[in-house]
Amino acid sequence: MTVQKIRKISTFKLILALLAIIIIVVLLVLAYLFLTPKLINIGSTNMEPTLHKGSTVTFLPYAAFSYQPERWDVVLYQNKGGDNSIGRVVGMPQETIQLIDGELYIHDAIQPIPTELAQAGIRYRAADEFRTKKEGKIVTHKTGPDEYFILGDNTAVSFDSRYLGPVPRKSIISSVKKLY
């Protein structure tokens, strides 16, 4: 074998080794970005008493591709203004939602809230109840085939689906879990 042939083989092996290293580094960076939990500090009181301002929650970025929201999940989503928000899924696709006197109605039937939420004093109120200081006004919201109705647990201060409308599935990033 000639020296020139050995150099060609060595150069080829060096290029393959560098390419392998680049691929491994890219895969490690992607794994870090998508497979490690991310932290968010809660900056508002819209989810009190469940999540207090200053609390830290975690979410998995890759979940946007596989996560299927369920009623009562606390989720991170992108609102119509382009900002990330945290809220609770109360309405699923193709539902008619009403908030009457602190009760959640789905298709004209009361949807009982989970015991731990009820014990914490969470009641979902229509937006108009805070402006008019009157209960009893019936407002109906409808979700489309791939939309969710998301509310803050503190409906007195939440700027949520009552104002912005249903949230498309593609805007829901992940469920969130409270850390501290």
Side-chain angles (χ1 to χ4, degrees), residues 4 38 90 129 168 179:
Q4 195 172 26
K38 304 296 181 228
V90 299
E129 289 184 32
L179 288 182

Side-chain angles (χ1 to χ4, degrees), residues 63-178:
F65 304 110
S66 62
Y67 169 66
Q68 193 56 41
E70 295 182 21
R71 192 181 322 275
W72 309 120
D73 284 355
V74 177
V75 296
L76 174 67
Y77 65 99
Q78 189 173 54
N79 64 33
K80 288 183 179 174
D83 297 323
N84 287 341
S85 296
I86 293 179
R88 188 177 301 277
V89 175
V90 299
M92 302 298 287
Q94 302 287 71
E95 289 186 338
T96 301
I97 298 110
Q98 294 176 314
L99 302 166
I100 304 169
D101 296 333
E103 300 286 348
L104 173 66
Y105 286 77
I106 305 292
H107 299 302
D108 297 321
I110 289 181
Q111 175 70 49
I113 67 171
T115 305
E116 64 272 9
L117 297 179
Q119 288 175 345
I122 295 171
R123 297 185 67 195
Y124 296 108
R125 298 192 175 277
D128 284 350
E129 289 184 32
F130 299 104
R131 283 195 290 257
T132 63
K133 304 289 186 212
K134 292 183 204 171
E135 291 189 350
K137 182 173 181 177
I138 298 174
V139 178
T140 301
H141 305 274
K142 293 182 184 226
T143 55
D146 202 26
E147 296 178 327
Y148 295 82
F149 198 76
I150 298 177
L151 297 177
D153 284 349
N154 184 357
T155 53
V157 299
S158 296
F159 193 63
D160 48 31
S161 287
R162 295 169 303 152
Y163 299 99
L164 300 170
V167 176
R169 170 60 190 93
K170 66 182 180 185
S171 296
I172 298 175
I173 299 165
S174 176
S175 65
V176 298
K177 304 292 181 221
K178 183 178 179 178

